[in-house]
Amino acid sequence: MQQRNSCNAQGIDVSRYQGKIDWKAVKEDGLSFAFIKASQGKSREVIPGQNIHR
């Protein structure tokens, strides 16, 4: 596994448990990507447009 380094891409892992995401603040913190859990089994967790930044 690659060691953590400030030069590596930094991101977050989110799901419905984080509630509404302030994507502007995420970007300002220097994070460049997010893994977004959108489903589990037969139900969807993300309400379209609620936490998706286009």
Side-chain angles (χ1 to χ4, degrees):
M1 177 185 281
Q2 186 177 17
Q3 289 193 4
R4 293 181 183 208
N5 180 318
S6 62
C7 295
N8 296 343
Q10 303 292 312
I12 57 173
D13 178 4
V14 299
S15 69
R16 67 181 169 141
Y17 299 106
Q18 281 73 41
K20 186 173 180 179
I21 308 297
D22 183 348
W23 293 111
K24 183 178 178 184
V26 170
K27 184 176 180 179
E28 288 171 356
D29 283 345
L31 301 174
S32 60
F33 69 90
F35 287 104
I36 303 172
K37 181 174 181 178
S39 67
Q40 181 170 337
K42 295 180 182 180
S43 63
R44 291 176 31 195
E45 291 189 6
V46 176
I47 298 170
Q50 180 181 8
N51 274 334
I52 306 297
H53 178 69
R54 298 183 180 142

Coordinates of all heavy atoms in Angstrom, one line a residue:
M1 N 0.8 -1.2 0.0 CA 0.0 0.0 0.0 C 0.9 1.2 0.0 O 1.9 1.3 0.7 CB -0.9 0.0 1.2 CG -1.8 1.2 1.3 SD -2.8 1.4 2.8 CE -4.1 0.3 2.4
Q2 N 0.5 2.2 -0.7 CA 1.2 3.5 -0.8 C 1.1 4.2 0.5 O 0.0 4.3 1.1 CB 0.6 4.3 -1.9 CG 1.3 5.6 -2.3 CD 0.7 6.3 -3.4 OE1 -0.5 6.0 -3.8 NE2 1.4 7.2 -4.0
Q3 N 2.2 4.8 1.0 CA 2.2 5.6 2.2 C 1.5 6.9 2.0 O 1.5 7.5 0.9 CB 3.6 5.8 2.7 CG 4.2 4.6 3.2 CD 5.5 4.9 4.0 OE1 5.8 6.0 4.3 NE2 6.1 3.8 4.5
R4 N 0.8 7.4 3.0 CA 0.2 8.7 3.0 C 1.3 9.8 2.8 O 2.3 9.8 3.3 CB -0.6 9.0 4.2 CG -1.8 8.1 4.3 CD -2.6 8.4 5.6 NE -3.6 7.4 5.7 CZ -4.8 7.7 6.3 NH1 -5.0 8.8 6.8 NH2 -5.7 6.8 6.3
N5 N 0.9 10.8 1.9 CA 1.8 11.8 1.6 C 1.0 13.0 1.1 O 0.0 12.9 0.4 CB 2.7 11.3 0.4 CG 3.7 12.3 0.0 OD1 3.4 13.5 -0.1 ND2 4.9 11.9 -0.3
S6 N 1.4 14.2 1.5 CA 0.6 15.4 1.2 C 0.5 15.6 -0.3 O -0.3 16.4 -0.8 CB 1.1 16.6 1.9 OG 2.4 16.9 1.4
C7 N 1.4 15.0 -1.1 CA 1.4 15.1 -2.6 C 0.4 14.2 -3.2 O 0.0 14.3 -4.4 CB 2.8 14.8 -3.1 SG 4.0 16.1 -2.6
N8 N -0.1 13.2 -2.5 CA -1.1 12.2 -3.0 C -2.5 12.9 -3.0 O -2.7 13.8 -2.2 CB -1.2 11.0 -2.1 CG 0.1 10.2 -2.1 OD1 1.0 10.3 -2.9 ND2 0.2 9.3 -1.1
A9 N -3.3 12.4 -3.9 CA -4.7 12.9 -4.0 C -5.4 12.6 -2.6 O -5.2 11.5 -2.1 CB -5.4 12.3 -5.1
Q10 N -6.1 13.5 -2.1 CA -6.8 13.4 -0.8 C -8.3 13.4 -1.1 O -8.8 14.2 -1.9 CB -6.4 14.5 0.1 CG -5.0 14.6 0.4 CD -4.4 13.4 1.2 OE1 -5.0 13.0 2.2 NE2 -3.3 12.9 0.7
G11 N -9.1 12.5 -0.5 CA -10.5 12.5 -0.7 C -11.2 12.0 0.6 O -10.6 11.8 1.6
I12 N -12.5 11.9 0.4 CA -13.4 11.4 1.5 C -14.3 10.3 1.1 O -14.5 10.1 -0.1 CB -14.2 12.6 2.1 CG1 -15.1 13.3 1.0 CG2 -13.3 13.6 2.8 CD1 -16.1 14.3 1.5
D13 N -14.9 9.6 2.0 CA -15.9 8.6 1.8 C -17.1 9.0 2.5 O -17.1 9.3 3.7 CB -15.3 7.3 2.4 CG -16.2 6.1 2.3 OD1 -17.3 6.2 1.7 OD2 -15.9 5.0 2.9
V14 N -18.2 9.1 1.7 CA -19.5 9.6 2.3 C -20.7 8.7 2.0 O -20.6 8.0 1.1 CB -19.8 11.1 1.8 CG1 -18.7 12.0 2.3 CG2 -20.0 11.1 0.4
S15 N -21.7 8.8 2.9 CA -22.9 8.1 2.7 C -24.0 8.9 3.4 O -23.7 10.1 3.8 CB -22.9 6.7 3.3 OG -22.8 6.8 4.7
R16 N -25.2 8.4 3.5 CA -26.3 9.2 4.1 C -26.0 9.6 5.5 O -26.6 10.6 6.0 CB -27.6 8.5 4.0 CG -27.6 7.2 4.8 CD -28.9 6.5 4.6 NE -28.9 5.2 5.3 CZ -29.9 4.7 5.9 NH1 -31.0 5.3 6.1 NH2 -29.8 3.5 6.4
Y17 N -25.2 8.9 6.2 CA -24.9 9.2 7.6 C -24.2 10.5 7.8 O -24.2 11.1 8.9 CB -24.1 8.1 8.2 CG -24.8 6.8 8.2 CD1 -24.4 5.8 7.3 CD2 -26.0 6.5 9.0 CE1 -25.1 4.6 7.2 CE2 -26.7 5.3 8.9 CZ -26.2 4.4 8.0 OH -26.9 3.2 7.9
Q18 N -23.6 11.1 6.8 CA -22.9 12.4 6.9 C -23.9 13.5 6.7 O -23.6 14.7 6.9 CB -21.8 12.5 5.9 CG -20.5 11.9 6.3 CD -20.6 10.3 6.2 OE1 -21.1 9.8 5.3 NE2 -20.0 9.7 7.2
G19 N -25.1 13.2 6.3 CA -26.1 14.3 6.0 C -25.8 15.1 4.8 O -25.1 14.6 3.9
K20 N -26.2 16.4 4.8 CA -25.9 17.3 3.7 C -24.4 17.6 3.7 O -23.8 18.0 4.7 CB -26.7 18.5 3.8 CG -26.6 19.4 2.6 CD -27.5 20.6 2.7 CE -27.3 21.4 1.4 NZ -28.2 22.6 1.4
I21 N -23.8 17.4 2.6 CA -22.3 17.7 2.4 C -22.1 19.1 1.9 O -22.7 19.5 1.0 CB -21.7 16.7 1.4 CG1 -22.0 15.2 1.8 CG2 -20.2 16.9 1.3 CD1 -21.5 14.8 3.1
D22 N -21.2 19.8 2.6 CA -20.8 21.2 2.1 C -19.6 21.0 1.2 O -18.5 21.0 1.6 CB -20.4 22.0 3.3 CG -20.1 23.5 2.9 OD1 -19.9 23.7 1.7 OD2 -20.0 24.3 3.8
W23 N -19.9 20.8 -0.1 CA -18.9 20.4 -1.1 C -17.9 21.6 -1.3 O -16.7 21.3 -1.6 CB -19.5 20.0 -2.4 CG -20.3 18.7 -2.3 CD1 -21.6 18.6 -2.4 CD2 -19.7 17.4 -2.1 NE1 -21.9 17.2 -2.3 CE2 -20.8 16.5 -2.1 CE3 -18.4 17.0 -2.0 CZ2 -20.6 15.2 -1.9 CZ3 -18.2 15.6 -1.8 CH2 -19.3 14.7 -1.7
K24 N -18.4 22.8 -1.1 CA -17.4 23.9 -1.2 C -16.4 23.8 -0.1 O -15.2 24.0 -0.4 CB -18.2 25.3 -1.1 CG -17.3 26.5 -1.3 CD -18.1 27.8 -1.2 CE -17.2 29.0 -1.4 NZ -17.9 30.2 -1.2
A25 N -16.8 23.5 1.1 CA -15.8 23.4 2.2 C -14.9 22.2 2.0 O -13.7 22.3 2.3 CB -16.6 23.2 3.5
V26 N -15.4 21.1 1.4 CA -14.6 19.9 1.1 C -13.5 20.4 0.1 O -12.3 20.1 0.3 CB -15.5 18.8 0.5 CG1 -14.6 17.7 -0.1 CG2 -16.4 18.3 1.5
K27 N -13.9 21.1 -0.9 CA -12.9 21.5 -1.9 C -11.9 22.5 -1.3 O -10.7 22.4 -1.5 CB -13.6 22.2 -3.1 CG -12.6 22.6 -4.2 CD -13.4 23.2 -5.4 CE -12.4 23.6 -6.5 NZ -13.1 24.1 -7.7
E28 N -12.4 23.4 -0.4 CA -11.5 24.4 0.2 C -10.5 23.7 1.1 O -9.4 24.2 1.4 CB -12.3 25.4 1.0 CG -13.0 26.4 0.0 CD -14.0 27.3 0.7 OE1 -14.2 27.2 2.0 OE2 -14.5 28.2 0.0
D29 N -10.8 22.5 1.7 CA -9.9 21.7 2.5 C -8.9 21.0 1.7 O -8.0 20.3 2.3 CB -10.7 20.7 3.4 CG -11.4 21.4 4.6 OD1 -11.1 22.6 4.9 OD2 -12.3 20.7 5.2
G30 N -9.0 21.1 0.4 CA -7.9 20.5 -0.5 C -8.3 19.1 -0.9 O -7.4 18.4 -1.5
L31 N -9.5 18.6 -0.7 CA -9.8 17.3 -1.1 C -10.3 17.3 -2.5 O -11.0 18.2 -3.0 CB -11.0 16.7 -0.2 CG -10.6 16.7 1.3 CD1 -11.8 16.3 2.2 CD2 -9.4 15.8 1.6
S32 N -9.8 16.3 -3.3 CA -10.1 16.3 -4.7 C -11.0 15.3 -5.2 O -11.4 15.2 -6.4 CB -8.8 16.2 -5.5 OG -8.1 15.0 -5.2
F33 N -11.5 14.3 -4.3 CA -12.4 13.3 -4.8 C -13.3 12.8 -3.6 O -12.9 13.0 -2.4 CB -11.7 12.1 -5.5 CG -10.9 11.3 -4.5 CD1 -11.5 10.2 -3.9 CD2 -9.6 11.6 -4.3 CE1 -10.7 9.4 -3.0 CE2 -8.8 10.8 -3.5 CZ -9.4 9.7 -2.8
A34 N -14.4 12.1 -3.9 CA -15.2 11.5 -2.9 C -15.7 10.2 -3.4 O -16.1 10.0 -4.6 CB -16.4 12.4 -2.5
F35 N -15.7 9.2 -2.5 CA -16.4 7.9 -2.8 C -17.7 8.1 -2.2 O -17.9 8.4 -1.0 CB -15.7 6.8 -2.1 CG -14.4 6.4 -2.8 CD1 -13.2 6.7 -2.2 CD2 -14.4 5.6 -3.9 CE1 -12.0 6.3 -2.8 CE2 -13.2 5.3 -4.5 CZ -12.0 5.6 -4.0
I36 N -18.8 7.9 -3.0 CA -20.1 8.2 -2.5 C -20.9 6.9 -2.5 O -21.1 6.3 -3.6 CB -20.9 9.2 -3.4 CG1 -20.1 10.5 -3.4 CG2 -22.3 9.4 -2.9 CD1 -20.6 11.6 -4.3
K37 N -21.3 6.4 -1.4 CA -22.2 5.2 -1.3 C -23.6 5.6 -1.7 O -24.2 6.5 -1.0 CB -22.1 4.6 0.1 CG -23.0 3.4 0.2 CD -22.9 2.7 1.5 CE -23.7 1.4 1.5 NZ -23.7 0.7 2.7
A38 N -24.1 5.0 -2.7 CA -25.4 5.4 -3.3 C -26.4 4.3 -3.1 O -27.6 4.6 -3.4 CB -25.2 5.8 -4.7
S39 N -26.1 3.1 -2.7 CA -27.1 2.1 -2.6 C -26.6 1.0 -1.6 O -25.5 0.9 -1.3 CB -27.4 1.4 -4.0 OG -26.2 0.7 -4.4
Q40 N -27.6 0.3 -1.2 CA -27.3 -0.9 -0.3 C -28.5 -1.8 -0.5 O -29.6 -1.5 -0.2 CB -27.2 -0.6 1.1 CG -26.9 -1.8 2.0 CD -26.5 -1.4 3.4 OE1 -26.1 -0.3 3.7 NE2 -26.7 -2.3 4.3
G41 N -28.2 -3.0 -1.1 CA -29.3 -3.9 -1.4 C -30.3 -3.3 -2.4 O -29.8 -2.9 -3.5
K42 N -31.5 -3.2 -2.1 CA -32.5 -2.8 -3.1 C -32.9 -1.3 -2.9 O -33.7 -0.8 -3.7 CB -33.8 -3.7 -3.0 CG -33.5 -5.1 -3.4 CD -34.8 -5.9 -3.3 CE -34.5 -7.4 -3.7 NZ -35.7 -8.2 -3.6
S43 N -32.4 -0.7 -1.9 CA -32.8 0.7 -1.6 C -31.7 1.7 -1.9 O -30.5 1.3 -1.9 CB -33.2 0.9 -0.1 OG -32.1 0.6 0.7
R44 N -32.1 2.9 -2.3 CA -31.1 4.0 -2.6 C -31.0 4.9 -1.4 O -31.9 5.1 -0.7 CB -31.6 4.8 -3.8 CG -31.6 4.0 -5.1 CD -32.2 4.8 -6.2 NE -32.1 6.2 -6.1 CZ -32.7 7.1 -6.9 NH1 -33.6 6.7 -7.7 NH2 -32.5 8.4 -6.7
E45 N -29.7 5.3 -1.2 CA -29.5 6.2 -0.1 C -29.4 7.7 -0.5 O -29.7 8.6 0.3 CB -28.1 5.9 0.6 CG -28.2 4.5 1.3 CD -26.9 4.3 2.1 OE1 -26.1 5.2 2.2 OE2 -26.8 3.2 2.7
V46 N -29.0 7.9 -1.7 CA -28.9 9.3 -2.2 C -30.1 9.8 -2.9 O -30.6 9.2 -3.8 CB -27.7 9.5 -3.1 CG1 -27.6 10.9 -3.7 CG2 -26.4 9.1 -2.4
I47 N -30.7 10.9 -2.4 CA -31.8 11.5 -3.1 C -31.2 12.3 -4.2 O -30.3 13.1 -4.0 CB -32.6 12.5 -2.1 CG1 -33.1 11.6 -0.9 CG2 -33.7 13.2 -2.9 CD1 -33.7 12.5 0.2
P48 N -31.7 12.1 -5.5 CA -31.1 12.7 -6.6 C -31.0 14.2 -6.4 O -31.9 14.9 -6.0 CB -32.1 12.4 -7.7 CG -32.7 11.1 -7.3 CD -32.8 11.2 -5.8
G49 N -29.8 14.7 -6.7 CA -29.5 16.2 -6.6 C -29.2 16.7 -5.2 O -28.8 17.8 -5.0
Q50 N -29.5 15.9 -4.1 CA -29.3 16.3 -2.8 C -27.8 16.5 -2.4 O -27.4 17.5 -1.9 CB -29.9 15.4 -1.8 CG -29.7 15.8 -0.3 CD -30.3 14.8 0.7 OE1 -30.8 13.8 0.3 NE2 -30.4 15.2 1.9
N51 N -27.0 15.5 -2.7 CA -25.5 15.6 -2.4 C -24.6 15.4 -3.6 O -23.5 15.2 -3.5 CB -25.2 14.5 -1.4 CG -25.4 14.9 0.0 OD1 -25.4 16.1 0.3 ND2 -25.7 13.9 0.9
I52 N -25.2 15.6 -4.8 CA -24.4 15.5 -6.0 C -24.0 16.9 -6.5 O -24.9 17.7 -6.7 CB -25.1 14.8 -7.1 CG1 -25.6 13.4 -6.6 CG2 -24.3 14.6 -8.3 CD1 -24.5 12.4 -6.2
H53 N -22.8 17.2 -6.6 CA -22.3 18.5 -7.1 C -22.0 18.4 -8.6 O -21.2 17.6 -9.0 CB -21.1 19.0 -6.4 CG -20.5 20.3 -6.9 ND1 -21.2 21.5 -6.7 CD2 -19.4 20.6 -7.6 CE1 -20.5 22.4 -7.2 NE2 -19.4 21.9 -7.8
R54 N -22.7 19.1 -9.4 CA -22.5 19.0 -10.8 C -21.6 20.0 -11.4 O -21.5 21.1 -11.0 CB -23.9 19.1 -11.5 CG -24.8 17.9 -11.1 CD -26.1 18.0 -11.8 NE -26.8 16.8 -11.2 CZ -28.1 16.8 -11.0 NH1 -28.8 17.9 -11.2 NH2 -28.7 15.8 -10.5

